[in-house]
Amino acid sequence: MLGVLGGGQLGAMFAVAARRLGYRVSVWDQDADAPALKIADLPVSAPFTDPTALDRFAGSISAVTYEWENIPVALGEALEQRLAVRPASRILRILQNRVEQKQFLASHNIPVAPFRPIAAPGDVSVAAASIGFPCLCKTATHGYDGKGQWQLAGPQDLPSVTEQLNQQTHSPWVLEQFLAFDKELSVLVVRGADGDKRVYPTVENVHEAGILRTSRVPAEVDPRLAQRAGALAASVVEALEGVGVFCVELFLMPDGRLFVNEVAPRPHNSGHYTLDACTVSQFEQQVRAVCGLPLGEVRLLCPAVMVNLIGEDCIKVSAGDGLANLFRWPGAKLHLYGKKSVRPGRKMGHVTFLAEKPHEAWASANKLKRMLG
Ligand code: AMP
């Protein structure tokens, strides 16, 4: 039996991939309504600090991975005493703190936006003075989908941002230069315990209000640039000596420079296209890497564009003839995550459009987005 920490949609997709390869799956999540718990052979619903749950979980599985980088490092370490945790807990420790992550990357000569750690709200002014405006202040831990981020256009924003930091429960923070990028890209990298690596094609992402909206692959960039993005992402995972699936998010600057924004030690929303458009999905790769099996192909079978269904989108998409239309739509693959409640900004599902030509997939994605309003 394989274990996965975190029972969101990524955990559910891992469980489906593992089941297809004949494994049984235990899912541990703190929220009893987490979607992956419902499809687990052994669901564990308890706080991540519960020692009884730890015994039950660890005693039933032979290897473990996670779908969420904010699981306690102490839990990863406790599990490592008994079995293989992939990626290792030392990687969690580096990546779950933006300051440590950026320091790690910078120390390995991987380009990141200039940044300064912020230990206390009062440090923002000095840090901003040395980084310059515009800049962004981000919570070092527990930030996601643009949450825990404050933009500073100029010195006039210092008092209000300082005040907002004073009201936060999570500290410290990191202040980074605002990069006026041309495009956002991401690359999935899979690395096995023997150091074997696979790099998926470079993906182009569009975010709305800090949340991923569309991912298109292949990215509409010069193939040499796409190659460079892949090589940079691979060098990040190599530096980490990571085993598992990683997503490296990048900013492409107008002059062609690439900066690493963020690294996730798990399959990623921008890699969901691999479920329908690749021979081996990111989740099957996660199973393979966790189990020490040979890694799979990263071949793109056809151009694809993924559109996230966020919040009320899932209601709009199923209203009237919506679902019937989607099922009839050539090349459309619908995924709904089965979450109990709809909340603004919550990822409820996605649609991947497959086509022979990139512009056809892109046109379908735009048509759906227009329908969602
Ligand atoms: P993050 O939570 O770091 O992934 O940031 C969420 C989104 O905010 C990114 O996908 C970008 O669109 C934007 N963003 C983050 N950092 C920067 C930056 N240094 N400069 C410009 N935009 C940024």
Side-chain angles (χ1 to χ4, degrees), residues 98 113 136 138 146 149 176-179 181 184 207 210 249 251 261-262:
R98 287 188 199 268
L136 273 173
K138 299 179 180 176
Q149 269 191 34
E176 62 183 69
Q177 194 177 83
F178 181 89
L179 297 177
F181 54 77
E184 291 192 70
H207 290 78
E249 292 184 60
F251 294 138
N261 174 37
E262 206 172 21

Side-chain angles (χ1 to χ4, degrees), residues 293-369:
L293 300 168
L295 303 182
E297 280 190 324
V298 288
R299 188 152 53 102
L300 184 67
L301 299 171
C302 65
V305 180
M306 184 225 56
V307 180
N308 263 339
L309 300 175
I310 300 164
E312 301 241 316
D313 286 347
C314 68
I315 298 172
K316 292 183 197 159
V317 97
S318 40
D321 293 336
L323 275 188
N325 288 340
L326 257 185
F327 287 130
R328 287 192 199 103
W329 198 321
K333 301 280 292 204
L334 173 67
H335 298 251
L336 291 174
Y337 305 152
K339 293 185 181 176
K340 250 187 163 174
S341 51
V342 180
R343 284 199 295 269
R346 195 174 198 201
K347 292 172 182 166
M348 306 301 295
H350 71 268
V351 182
T352 302
F353 292 100
L354 308 174
E356 289 196 4
K357 299 268 184 286
H359 70 88
E360 293 163 356
W362 188 238
S364 280
N366 282 321
K367 190 170 160 195
L368 177 68
K369 280 201 291 174

Side-chain angles (χ1 to χ4, degrees), residues 32-44:
D33 284 333
L37 289 175
K38 295 174 186 61
I39 58 165
D41 296 280
L42 175 65
V44 178

